[in-house]
Amino acid sequence: MTTTIHHSEDARAQSGAMNDTTDPDPEVPERTRPPRRYAAKYKADILAEYDTLSKADKGALLRREGLYSSLITEWRKQRDRGALAASAGRPAKDPRDGELSKLRKRNQRLETELEKARKVIEVQGKLSALLEQFATDSAEDETGETR
């Protein structure tokens, strides 16, 4: 069997290969993830390490960390402006604040349960008084006396 140009084009089309007449899709796909963000400590550590390395080792560091030299330049500017120290992140939370919040919630829950228990006791007291009244009324009716 001899293969002609026509047969090879059909085979390419069936295999899903693009032919030269197809234009690429002009729509730009959405970003799959947001840009990376770096912690101030990470930036400071990378800058300190970068400054101590030789030129070849600097490139290896950038490749290893997946960084660009423009990031290093920008981080240096931030460091020089003092932005790295200022953007160290949120201050650490006091562990007592979390415990205090938990205790307040627990106290509120217990007060709600106590209020429910008081209402139940009040209803039980009224029910007991009513049943006692019915019991005395029925005892008087059995003796033949009327109210």
Side-chain angles (χ1 to χ4, degrees):
M1 175 177 171
T2 59
T3 304
T4 63
I5 295 174
H6 184 36
H7 287 348
S8 66
E9 285 179 7
D10 286 342
R12 284 183 60 201
Q14 289 176 355
S15 68
M18 289 181 57
N19 56 15
D20 296 332
T21 61
T22 305
D23 293 331
D25 187 11
E27 185 174 333
V28 177
E30 289 187 38
R31 285 191 115 154
T32 56
R33 59 186 168 143
R36 289 174 60 185
R37 298 187 189 274
Y38 303 96
K41 182 174 178 0
Y42 175 78
K43 292 177 183 181
D45 292 345
I46 294 294
L47 282 175
E49 184 178 353
Y50 188 83
D51 290 338
T52 62
L53 298 175
S54 68
K55 187 172 184 175
D57 292 335
K58 288 179 181 181
L61 171 69
L62 294 176
R63 284 189 300 278
R64 181 185 76 211
E65 296 294 327
L67 302 173
Y68 295 98
S69 60
S70 60
L71 279 175
I72 300 296
T73 305
E74 184 61 34
W75 292 353
R76 278 193 184 126
K77 289 177 186 176
Q78 289 176 355
R79 181 187 60 192
D80 294 343
R81 286 192 317 253
L84 292 179
S87 67
R90 295 184 199 167
K93 285 178 58 175
D94 188 1
R96 293 179 295 177
D97 291 341
E99 186 177 349
L100 182 64
S101 175
K102 257 196 284 186
L103 289 174
R104 284 184 176 153
K105 288 178 184 177
R106 182 175 181 217
N107 188 22
Q108 182 63 39
R109 181 181 50 82
L110 291 173
E111 284 180 2
T112 304
E113 287 179 15
L114 178 62
E115 187 61 33
K116 287 179 186 177
R118 286 183 177 155
K119 287 181 181 179
V120 167
I121 291 170
E122 181 183 343
V123 168
Q124 285 177 339
K126 290 179 180 179
L127 181 61
S128 177
L130 188 61
L131 289 175
E132 188 177 319
Q133 183 181 0
F134 282 145
T136 57
D137 286 350
S138 67
E140 288 175 4
D141 287 344
E142 289 177 4
T143 60
E145 298 178 15
T146 58
R147 306 196 262 159

